[in-house]
């Protein structure tokens, strides 16, 4: 049993505050003892207050119609004023009492525009949607979470955003005042410091205790999130601060102006040295992971690559380099490089070393895979922000030139430095280099299509067939592959024509599975507003972490074509457990399934098409015959073009 | 160790040993699934990001057998206890029985403009 609240059942803090403001001592006596009243006295209120404008008006004027019961503009209305200056278009969130006041202000005072509230079934979905949305628009969203339990749900999504260098603004409601917050559930859901669980993987967090501090915190948080390396920030919002009116102590409130920070570029001396080294190299290779933050990054990288006639390995953290360009290469070319320029690499060590998961004592072994003496240059903004606990910084790699700076912002200076140092002899070599590179490129393309042809008619459907049937239907649209979760042997990157920044959005960042479904919906929302066609390759394991986001897509009319790579397994783990069994020289126990117990999603098979249908999607499946796939995709596309999301449950080969 | 395995493979290939497949392709298919080979090589042995193509392999039969038992590269080895030579012969027959893929030039979806 929780203790009963005051007799009238109204919130005690609000009631007492109202009573104090009106100076109505008898009202206190009527409902609660003086001792209780002292115990429950609200914050910020000295024992005797001078009358404020509201009180004076109440006592000296004939009472007019009551504007509201809280005696002024609520704090959360001011918060909405602040948020509106940042032009945050949506707030995908799961509702909760700790931010009910801000919620109410957004939809009623703020007219549910900028931000528009989007209903989510899971906090991880809200963060994932914001993650995908940003990668299309370059603009962050805000998600509101219930301080403790909601933030606990949100954490994996936040970690993914952190690792993927994506800004997300997380607002966590928290009722701080232990003496005045409701007992029972709201107290279970309150904490001294809610952000402690995300502090290791957010760029910054805060707990403003006044409205003015909130205004500063929000604008500062936005700025920090939007300064490369981007990243999530968390702001804890006291329920009382949201609910109470803007009091006298908050007079003169202002909203700081936001100015977009410029990204940090490399120091000129280092840039010139890098240019010199690049020009001296026989076979320089550029490796890019999250280098192109914007479409301009692609243009710059093409310019640099052509200037040097250097091969480019796009690791795919973002769409960095057109895969149709004759200098585009797979990871293997780094083995022959005498210089590697790494741009925003999350793991430089793994570019020059390999790890084989097959050592003598049950652990793997390392070996070098680059040429001895290879020169290394790194430009990475992430080096400006390394935290201690989570290991997203990967192994330490020594390099010859280290520029902790944003790669895209540094490229213009590097291009200029290369141009100004380039000799005519070096320039003269370019035609020959280009000719050789074009020939090699054509050969690679031929090998890829030959590999794709193997098992073309197989059932379950090969991943190459899946991807090419899909590409065939979308290629004439302004398409965007919003996510490709699970592993389809990288066929889209190998065979689709990827040239624009929105053709490929990268992956989760932290490999926290469950990113694909919500990120697809968030990115599709962004593409909807931009008039683009969104398609997602959706794996089964990923979808089932929080499938409720399908409903969010239907509810908010977000068109998305989701084609499933349903290999009926957490297949990555199938192979891991098999590997362990082999090392240990014992047969793997499959139970009644086709793979190790605990790794298969079968018996019963999940009817994803029915799942999607139940949440307002058009859906079809299971499709096992490759001949049926093309026509089904065509049908689904027509639905998506009419504005409804559509899902195809396709049974696929494992990889 | 890895070098040794490859040396054996190359030698076997060079001498053109064992061209007749003694195995049974139907049994081989069941073993390929039952022992987990499909997991990294695909049900058809088509290969992908987790393992190379095995369908219509150029390896000689004893080269395949030796590789599976002894590799210490990225594929985990399967000892004689886990899979017998006879079972691997069946798998070999299964892999050789896979239809030859069409020339990619004749597949319109692999020639999209
Ligand atoms: C949150 C989380 N839980 C577990 C894992 C371990 N894990 C890595 S891949 C994977 C399987 C993913 O299955 P699916 O999305 O269907 O892709 P598939 O490997 O089958 O292509 C799992 C469970 C993880 N990375 N993240
Ligand atoms: Mg799967």
């Amino acid at each position: 049993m929780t203790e009963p609240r005051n007799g009238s059942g109204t919130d005690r803090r609000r009631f007492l505050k109202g009573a104090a403001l009106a100076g109505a001592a008898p009202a206190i006596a009527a409902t609660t003892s003086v001792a209780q009243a002292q115990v429950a006295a609200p914050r910020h209120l000295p024992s005797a207050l001078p009358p404020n404008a509201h009180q004076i008006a109440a006592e000296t004027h004939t009472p007019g119609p009551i504007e509201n019961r809280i005696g002024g503009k609520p704090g959360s209305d001011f918060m909405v004023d602040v948020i509106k200056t940042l032009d945050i278009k949506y707030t995908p969130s799961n509702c909760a009492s700790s931010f009910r006041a801000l919620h109410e202000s957004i939809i009623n005072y703020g007219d549910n525009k900028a931000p528009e509230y989007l209903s989510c079934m899971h906090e991880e979905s809200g963060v994932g949607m914001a993650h995908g949305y940003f990668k299309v628009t370059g603009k962050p969203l805000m998600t509101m979470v219930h301080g403790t339990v909601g933030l606990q749900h949100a954490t994996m999504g936040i970690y993914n955003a952190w690792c993927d260098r994506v800004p997300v603004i997380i607002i966590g409601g928290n009722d701080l005042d232990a003496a005045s917050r409701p007992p029972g559930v709201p107290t279970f859901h309150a904490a001294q410091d809610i952000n402690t669980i995300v502090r290791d993987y957010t760029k910054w967090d805060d707990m403003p205790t006044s409205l003015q501090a909130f205004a500063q915190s929000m604008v500062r948080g936005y700025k920090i999130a939007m300064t490369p390396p981007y990243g999530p920030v968390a702001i804890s919002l006291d329920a009382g601060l949201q609910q109470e009116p803007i009091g006298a102590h908050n007079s003169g409130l202002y909203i700081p102006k936001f100015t977009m920070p410029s990204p940090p570029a490399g120091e000129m001396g280092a840039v010139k040295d890098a240019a010199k080294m690049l020009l001296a190299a026989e076979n320089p290779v550029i490796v890019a992971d999250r280098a192109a933050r914007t479409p301009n990054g692609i243009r710059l990288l093409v310019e640099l690559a052509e200037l040097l006639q250097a091969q480019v390995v796009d690791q795919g953290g973002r769409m960095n380099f057109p895969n149709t360009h004759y200098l585009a290469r797979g990871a293997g070319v780094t083995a022959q490089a005498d210089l590697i320029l790494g741009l925003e690499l999350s793991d430089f060590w793994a570019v020059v070393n390999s790890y084989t998961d097959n050592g003598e004592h049950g652990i793997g072994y390392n070996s070098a895979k680059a040429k001895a003496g290879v020169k290394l240059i790194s430009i990475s903004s992430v080096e400006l922000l390394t935290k201690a606990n989570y290991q997203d910084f990967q192994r330490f790699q020594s390099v010859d030139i280290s520029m902790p700076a944003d790669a895209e912002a540094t490229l213009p200076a590097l291009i200029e430095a290369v141009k100004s140092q380039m000799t005519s002899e070096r320039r003269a070599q370019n035609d020959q280099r280009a000719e050789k590179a074009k020939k090699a490129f054509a050969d690679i393309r031929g090998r890829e299509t030959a590999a794709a042809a193997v098992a073309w008619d197989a059932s379950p459907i090969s991943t190459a067939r899946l991807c090419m049937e899909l590409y065939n239907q979308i290629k004439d649209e302004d398409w965007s592959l919003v996510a490709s979760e699970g592993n389809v042997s990288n066929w889209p990157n190998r065979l689709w024509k990827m040239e624009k920044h929105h053709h490929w959005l990268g992956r989760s960042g932290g490999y926290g599975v469950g990113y694909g479904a919500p990120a697809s919906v968030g990115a599709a929302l962004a593409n909807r507003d931009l008039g683009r066609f969104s398609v997602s390759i959706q794996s089964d394991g990923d979808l089932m972490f929080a499938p409720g986001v399908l409903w969010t897509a239907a509810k908010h009319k977000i068109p998305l074509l989701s084609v499933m790579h349903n290999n009926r397994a957490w297949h990555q783990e199938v192979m891991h457990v098999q590997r362990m069994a082999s090392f240990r020289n014992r047969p793997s126990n499959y139970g009644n399934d086709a793979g190790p117990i605990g790794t298969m999603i079968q018996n019963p098979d999940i009817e994803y098409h029915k799942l999607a249908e139940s949440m307002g999607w058009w859906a079809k499946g299971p499709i096992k015959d490759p001949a049926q796939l093309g026509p089904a995709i065509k049908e689904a596309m027509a639905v998506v073009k009419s504005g409804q999301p559509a899902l195809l449950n396709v049974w696929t080969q494992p990889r | 160790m890895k070098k040794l395995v490859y040396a054996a493979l190359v030698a076997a290939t060079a001498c053109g040993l064992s061209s007749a497949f003694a195995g049974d392709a139907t049994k081989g298919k069941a073993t390929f699934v039952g022992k987990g080979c499909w997991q990294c090589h695909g049900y058809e042995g088509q290969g992908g990001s987790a393992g190379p193509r095995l369908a219509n392999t150029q390896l000689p039969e004893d080269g395949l057998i030796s590789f599976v038992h002894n590799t210490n590269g990225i594929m985990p080895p399967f000892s004689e206890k886990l899979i017998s030579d006879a079972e691997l012969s069946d798998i070999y027959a299964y892999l050789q029985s896979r239809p030859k893929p069409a020339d990619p030039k004749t597949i319109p979806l692999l020639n999209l403009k």
Side-chain angles (χ1 to χ4, degrees):
Chain A
M1 270 289 280
T2 53
E3 288 218 359
R5 295 188 190 182
N6 62 52
S8 67
T10 51
D11 176 275
R12 177 187 285 173
R13 172 169 51 195
R14 191 99 53 74
F15 178 82
L16 287 175
K17 187 160 191 177
L21 284 170
I28 294 177
T31 55
T32 182
S33 76
V34 174
Q36 274 179 301
Q38 278 167 357
V39 170
R43 289 154 301 166
H44 311 314
L45 285 180
S47 55
L49 273 179
N52 63 21
H54 181 71
Q55 286 167 274
I56 294 166
E59 283 171 15
T60 56
H61 291 82
T62 347
I66 299 171
E67 197 200 324
N68 65 31
R69 293 186 55 202
I70 71 162
K73 175 170 171 163
S76 55
D77 283 4
F78 173 72
M79 292 173 179
V80 169
D81 294 338
V82 174
I83 293 164
K84 278 189 183 286
T85 67
L86 297 170
D87 192 25
I88 295 170
K89 205 163 173 190
Y90 301 102
T91 180
S93 307
N94 181 258
C95 46
S97 62
S98 59
F99 62 84
R100 62 186 182 175
L102 182 57
H103 183 160
E104 192 273 343
S105 290
I106 285 172
I107 61 170
N108 296 330
Y109 171 75
D111 207 18
N112 198 30
K113 288 195 188 94
E116 176 185 343
Y117 192 104
L118 304 179
S119 305
C120 289
M121 295 285 189
H122 196 299
E123 291 79 359
E124 188 179 293
S125 308
V127 178
M129 283 178 67
H131 191 159
Y133 183 91
F134 176 81
K135 289 205 271 186
V136 173
T137 57
K139 299 192 84 174
L141 295 184
M142 161 186 132
T143 178
M144 296 179 287
V145 298
H146 205 15
T148 47
V149 285
L151 192 58
Q152 285 161 10
H153 264 173
T155 49
M156 188 209 73
I158 299 172
Y159 186 61
N160 273 337
W162 164 259
C163 295
D164 201 23
R165 315 302 161 196
V166 164
V168 178
I169 295 159
I170 301 120
I171 303 284
N174 187 23
D175 205 338
L176 275 168
D177 189 342
S180 65
R181 72 182 163 225
V185 178
T187 295
F188 277 121
H189 292 176
Q192 290 177 25
D193 177 10
I194 58 168
N195 289 334
T196 181
I197 59 169
V198 295
R199 190 156 293 134
D200 280 326
Y201 42 94
T202 45
K203 278 189 85 178
W204 183 75
D205 69 275
D206 198 15
M207 186 175 74
T209 55
S210 70
L211 290 172
Q212 188 56 70
F214 170 79
Q216 299 210 1
S217 185
M218 193 68 197
V219 178
R220 189 196 300 274
Y222 191 96
K223 179 173 173 168
I224 290 172
M226 286 299 290
T227 306
Y230 302 141
V233 296
I235 296 173
S236 154
L237 265 201
D238 178 27
L241 195 63
Q242 299 171 54
Q243 289 182 205
E244 286 162 15
I246 301 175
H249 60 290
N250 273 322
S251 65
L253 282 178
Y254 67 93
I255 303 173
K257 176 170 161 260
F258 170 70
T259 305
M260 187 66 84
S262 68
E267 182 267 325
M268 273 316 292
V271 168
K272 285 180 183 155
D273 288 350
K276 188 171 171 197
M277 237 184 218
L278 281 163
L279 284 165
E282 273 299 307
N283 185 20
V285 171
I286 302 170
V287 184
D289 192 5
R290 293 191 182 83
R293 275 188 294 102
T294 72
N296 195 41
I298 301 177
R299 195 188 60 69
L300 291 168
L301 195 50
V302 168
E303 189 178 349
L304 180 67
E306 288 179 356
L307 202 55
L308 294 161
Q309 288 301 319
Q311 303 174 98
V312 178
V313 178
D314 187 344
Q315 294 188 325
R318 294 291 182 276
M319 169 64 211
N320 296 296
F321 195 75
N323 67 356
T324 49
H325 195 286
Y326 65 91
L327 289 168
R329 289 295 182 276
V333 296
T334 52
Q336 297 310 317
D338 58 347
L339 182 147
I340 298 171
L341 169 63
L343 301 177
E344 301 288 350
L345 300 187
S346 59
D347 190 357
F348 210 145
W349 182 89
V351 172
V352 286
N353 296 285
S354 57
Y355 176 83
T356 307
D357 191 5
N358 201 354
E360 285 305 321
H361 303 288
I363 46 169
Y365 57 89
N366 305 325
S367 42
K369 69 176 179 202
K371 276 201 333 199
V374 61
K375 294 267 186 284
L376 307 176
I377 302 173
S378 167
I379 309 179
S380 167
S381 61
V382 176
E383 288 185 49
L384 295 166
L385 179 68
T386 310
K387 293 208 183 189
N389 189 11
Y390 289 84
Q391 303 288 304
D392 57 288
F393 43 76
Q394 300 288 338
R395 294 188 204 192
F396 186 78
Q397 178 59 51
S398 300
V399 297
D400 297 281
I401 296 180
S402 169
M403 272 185 258
D406 179 67
E408 184 173 320
T410 307
L411 280 176
L414 184 59
I415 289 167
E416 281 316 305
V418 169
K419 278 185 186 160
S420 73
Q421 293 182 38
M422 188 175 256
T423 60
S424 47
E425 292 98 289
R426 177 62 179 76
R427 201 182 302 273
Q429 292 169 10
N430 271 355
D431 287 349
Q432 216 184 341
R433 286 184 187 225
E435 206 177 308
K436 219 171 112 194
K438 282 175 188 167
K439 163 127 198 1
F441 183 69
D443 293 348
I444 296 168
R445 260 344 242 199
R447 283 201 293 277
E448 300 288 33
T449 50
V454 189
W456 186 252
D457 294 319
S459 174
I461 296 171
S462 79
T463 51
R465 179 82 182 254
L466 174 87
C467 294
M468 294 319 286
E469 290 285 357
L470 181 53
Y471 184 61
N472 184 37
Q473 304 281 342
I474 62 164
K475 66 182 194 317
D476 297 325
E477 308 291 329
D478 184 11
W479 59 271
S480 176
L481 178 56
V482 288
S484 177
E485 282 310 287
N487 187 317
V488 288
S489 290
N490 229 13
W491 285 115
N493 311 66
R494 289 159 78 181
L495 289 180
W496 296 14
K497 289 184 177 149
M498 294 207 175
E499 293 168 331
K500 296 183 182 155
H501 200 245
H502 60 268
H503 280 167
W504 173 251
L505 302 183
R507 298 186 182 277
S508 60
Y511 295 90
V513 180
Y515 156 90
S520 301
V521 173
L525 169 70
N527 282 326
R528 177 192 74 184
D529 296 351
L530 293 162
R532 293 182 190 141
F533 188 88
S534 296
V535 58
S536 167
I537 297 173
Q538 174 65 60
S539 58
D540 47 346
D542 179 277
L543 178 60
M544 291 310 287
F545 276 97
V549 75
L550 296 178
W551 177 83
T552 301
K555 165 131 192 99
H556 295 288
K557 306 206 169 15
I558 300 172
L560 166 64
L561 172 58
S562 181
V563 178
M564 285 195 73
H565 161 45
N566 177 10
N567 55 15
R568 285 141 294 124
W570 295 281
H571 194 77
Q572 191 64 37
E573 307 308 315
V574 169
M575 299 182 293
H576 274 304
V577 179
Q578 183 71 43
R579 183 175 286 277
M580 288 297 106
S582 284
F583 288 169
R584 294 163 184 190
N585 201 22
R586 50 194 180 205
S588 195
N589 187 349
Y590 291 175
N592 295 321
D593 295 336
I597 288 174
T599 63
M600 300 299 294
I601 310 176
Q602 51 183 210
N603 297 320
D605 294 314
I606 299 176
E607 300 193 84
Y608 297 100
H609 45 290
K610 290 189 184 164
L611 175 80
E613 229 167 49
S614 78
M615 291 195 260
W617 285 49
W618 181 96
K620 203 167 195 169
I623 299 165
K624 305 175 187 180
D625 174 0
Q628 290 174 3
L629 183 55
I633 295 173
K634 198 168 193 166
E635 224 182 318
M637 277 193 62
V639 173
V640 175
K641 284 186 170 178
S642 78
Q644 194 188 358
L647 178 140
L648 294 172
N649 175 11
V650 186
W651 279 35
T652 49
Q653 293 279 326
R655 283 285 176 260
Chain B
M1 168 68 131
K2 189 174 178 182
K3 280 213 181 85
L4 274 180
V5 174
Y6 275 114
L9 278 181
V10 172
T13 317
C15 306
L17 293 173
S18 66
S19 50
F21 335 133
D24 173 330
T26 312
K27 278 200 315 201
K29 179 176 184 172
T31 312
F32 195 75
V33 174
K35 300 282 177 173
C37 315
W38 66 277
Q39 299 168 6
C40 304
H41 297 285
Y43 285 106
E44 299 288 314
Q46 75 271 22
S49 55
R53 173 181 171 190
L54 301 179
N56 327 114
T57 176
Q58 303 288 302
L59 292 174
E61 186 173 326
D62 48 3
L64 179 140
I65 294 172
S66 160
F67 183 91
V68 171
H69 288 327
N70 300 308
T71 176
N72 70 344
I74 33 181
M75 169 168 150
F78 289 69
S79 71
E80 286 84 348
K81 178 186 151 194
L82 297 180
I83 190 162
S84 69
D85 289 7
E87 285 172 314
L88 283 168
S89 289
D90 293 341
I91 284 179
Y92 191 79
Y94 169 63
L95 295 170
Q96 297 299 7
S97 75
R98 297 299 76 221
K100 288 262 178 323
D103 178 348
K105 292 203 179 70
T106 67
I107 301 177
L109 294 190
L110 295 177
N111 294 279
L112 298 173
K113 284 288 158 250

